[in-house]
Amino acid sequence: MPAPMRRLVVLGATGSVGRSTLDVAARHPQRLQVFALTAARDADGLLELCRLHKPSIAVLVDEAAALKLRAALTAEEIPCEVLTGAAALSEVAAAGEADIVMSAIVGAAGLLPTLAAVRAGKQTLIANKEPLVMAGRLLMREAARSGACILPIDSEHNAIFQCLPPDYRCGESPRGVRKLLLTASGGPFREWSAEQIAAATPAEAVRHPNWSMGQKISVDSATLMNKGLELIEASMLYGVDDTQLDVVIHPESVIHSLVEYVDGSLLAQLGQPDMRVPIAHALAWPERWESGVGGLDLAALGRFRFESPDLERFPCLGLARAALRAGGHAPNLLNAANEIAVERFLNGHIGLSQIAQMIAACVDAGLGVHALQSDELEATLAVDAWARDWCLRELPRFSKTATLHAESARLHA
Ligand code: NDP
Ligand code: MG
């Protein structure tokens, strides 16, 4: 009997992960049909994807962009319904016609649609790590309730999943595991001094040595906050605490992560640094499909390097581990403050070093106010909004000029 056709929703279709997902899906037209594609405001990008993948529904959150897309689709006689507004993201994620949902929006904006997919029991492929950091317990609880199968796309978490027993399901505590080891490339500033890092420009921060990714995750990789968010993500997906999680710098980005078992065995997953590998794994799971990516020439690679992360030059990693240890809403506060700080860094308002300063101050202030909040959705969104307001209100304290004044006062004291 031929395998059934499954219908795919790609949230964040115009982004880096979204496009890689569609590249893999297009290689398997007998197995996957694109049901819906979504983006925030990139009407031209979504139009191009509608021409190629012929979804039944396209969503643009921005209303003017949706009008533009609708007019272009009509002019080209491409049959596709265009929806607009943030609620439409959750609507397509939970639609009866959808079987698999790829969650690839960037940031907290992905929380509600990801939750909608999980609550509707969809097979949910999670690249969008921020919702797991904000509300990991809630998402995993809802998945257990609805029976939704969660498959990790982040390359490290996908590698770990591949190194766990075949009957393992996300949310369970893995048997016989001593540690999960997340690898990190070290980012573009791995060999830079603290002074050089402090003076880094946005263009330098988004120039990742091994991976081609969206702007926000590229800055997160430069500060190592990406690895910090991934520690929290791993804790939520795999039900382990921070004592069972380690980070090792591996500049080649070929070993994507490892599982250490209690008998001393370490299992690793290797592959080229191309997101189509974990995406194909999760789209095909539990089978294996062609992804368009070749293997590795190990002899040409020659050797792999490993080193410990430097928490002095990269304080964001320590902040994230501390937030994981503190629990409650600390990860949620950390995530919101990081999103604001990264946006302000990209806009040139603050320097790279102020990202960690702003996050530390916001988590500190927020824990005083929100220590006893529940982890349900309403409280999660309220804490997220509080942290964003706090950062915007306190921004002048962290601006480049404020830091220069403080530095010159210190030198002249
Ligand atoms: P991109 O910035 O390339 O793409 C983001 C996508 O989300 C775009 O489609 C964008 O639409 C959409 N989007 C942005 N804001 C909103 C919003 N408010 N509402 C609805 N949609 C929105 O991001 P990446 O693909 O790099 O990353 C996506 C997620 O995957 C992130 O959480 C990242 O951490 C994670 N991830 C990414 C990896 C990578 O290799 N890129 C690897 C592992 C994880 P528009 O184009 O219209 O702005
Ligand atoms: Mg990753």
Side-chain angles (χ1 to χ4, degrees):
M1 202 173 71
M5 177 72 95
R6 303 174 79 206
R7 282 157 304 185
L8 172 68
V9 174
V10 183
L11 303 169
T14 49
S16 162
V17 173
R19 286 176 183 276
S20 294
T21 304
L22 290 166
D23 180 287
V24 176
R27 294 167 193 274
H28 303 281
Q30 290 82 27
R31 309 298 297 277
L32 284 176
Q33 186 184 332
V34 177
F35 168 64
L37 299 179
T38 84
R41 59 189 63 83
D42 181 3
D44 293 338
L46 201 53
L47 173 62
E48 176 206 328
L49 295 175
C50 289
R51 285 187 192 121
L52 286 171
H53 302 284
K54 309 273 185 302
S56 307
I57 301 181
V59 179
L60 278 168
V61 176
D62 183 84
E63 208 171 316
L67 283 176
K68 182 176 165 191
L69 177 66
R70 197 175 288 133
L73 288 168
T74 308
E76 295 189 28
E77 296 183 6
I78 298 173
C80 175
E81 187 182 351
V82 178
L83 303 179
T84 188
L89 301 170
S90 299
E91 209 178 296
V92 294
E97 295 94 328
D99 301 304
I100 308 180
V101 177
M102 167 60 81
S103 159
I105 290 173
V106 60
L111 173 59
L112 292 179
T114 305
L115 187 60
V118 167
R119 282 182 170 159
K122 306 298 179 193
Q123 181 154 330
T124 310
L125 280 47
I126 303 188
N128 183 195
K129 64 193 82 182
E130 293 88 349
L132 279 167
V133 174
M134 299 168 72
R137 289 207 170 76
L138 170 66
L139 280 163
M140 299 315 288
R141 214 163 47 231
E142 293 290 336
R145 193 174 298 161
S146 69
C149 169
I150 290 188
L151 292 168
I153 295 297
D154 210 348
S155 58
E156 296 75 4
H157 306 76
N158 182 271
I160 289 167
F161 186 84
Q162 295 199 44
C163 296
L164 289 171
D167 64 349
Y168 176 79
R169 298 292 170 268
C170 285
E172 297 169 358
S173 286
R175 292 184 311 275
V177 168
R178 190 187 281 157
K179 264 194 171 153
L180 305 180
L181 270 131
L182 303 184
T183 52
S185 69
F189 305 143
R190 184 172 62 87
E191 294 179 301
W192 289 30
S193 69
E195 293 70 32
Q196 287 172 310
I197 293 174
T201 65
E204 289 167 331
V206 299
R207 211 176 296 136
H208 196 278
N210 305 337
W211 295 92
S212 148
M213 309 183 285
Q215 288 213 316
K216 194 248 171 192
I217 183 174
S218 297
V219 176
D220 286 345
S221 299
T223 60
L224 289 202
M225 178 53 96
N226 183 48
K227 214 47 56 182
L229 298 176
E230 289 180 358
L231 279 177
I232 302 169
E233 182 185 9
S235 164
M236 299 302 154
L237 287 169
Y238 299 115
V240 295
D241 65 30
D242 85 286
T243 62
Q244 293 170 281
L245 289 165
D246 263 348
V247 172
V248 65
I249 304 288
H250 161 53
E252 290 81 13
S253 297
V254 165
I255 300 176
H256 296 303
S257 277
L258 307 93
V259 175
E260 183 183 318
Y261 285 91
V262 288
D263 59 6
S265 291
L266 275 94
L267 266 57
Q269 185 259 353
L270 284 71
Q272 291 188 24
D274 186 321
M275 286 305 290
R276 291 177 299 171
V277 176
I279 290 167
H281 167 265
L283 285 175
W285 184 86
E287 295 174 31
R288 292 275 177 178
W289 291 354
E290 174 68 48
S291 67
V293 182
L296 288 169
D297 184 343
L298 291 174
L301 278 165
R303 61 187 65 217
F304 294 146
R305 287 166 297 167
F306 301 100
E307 55 195 61
S308 295
D310 178 350
L311 297 181
E312 301 254 313
R313 284 182 304 137
F314 299 102
C316 283
L317 180 56
L319 291 175
R321 196 184 269 284
L324 173 59
R325 237 178 251 145
H329 279 288
N332 188 15
L333 292 159
L334 173 106
N335 178 66
N338 182 54
E339 283 194 32
I340 297 288
V342 169
E343 183 203 313
R344 293 296 142 156
F345 168 71
L346 285 169
N347 290 338
H349 294 138
I350 64 172
L352 198 82
S353 317
Q354 277 88 55
I355 294 179
Q357 291 166 13
M358 188 190 262
I359 295 168
C362 177
V363 173
D364 233 28
L367 283 181
V369 184
H370 298 292
L372 297 175
Q373 289 275 18
S374 89
D375 64 0
E376 293 297 338
L377 180 61
E378 207 177 316
T380 301
L381 296 175
V383 172
D384 172 76
W386 181 92
R388 285 164 200 270
D389 279 355
W390 188 93
C391 288
L392 293 174
R393 219 175 35 244
E394 300 291 326
L395 188 65
R397 264 171 65 190
F398 302 98
S399 70
K400 278 184 178 164
T401 39
T403 310
L404 284 176
H405 287 320
E407 183 65 8
S408 97
R410 193 179 64 78
L411 289 174
H412 290 99

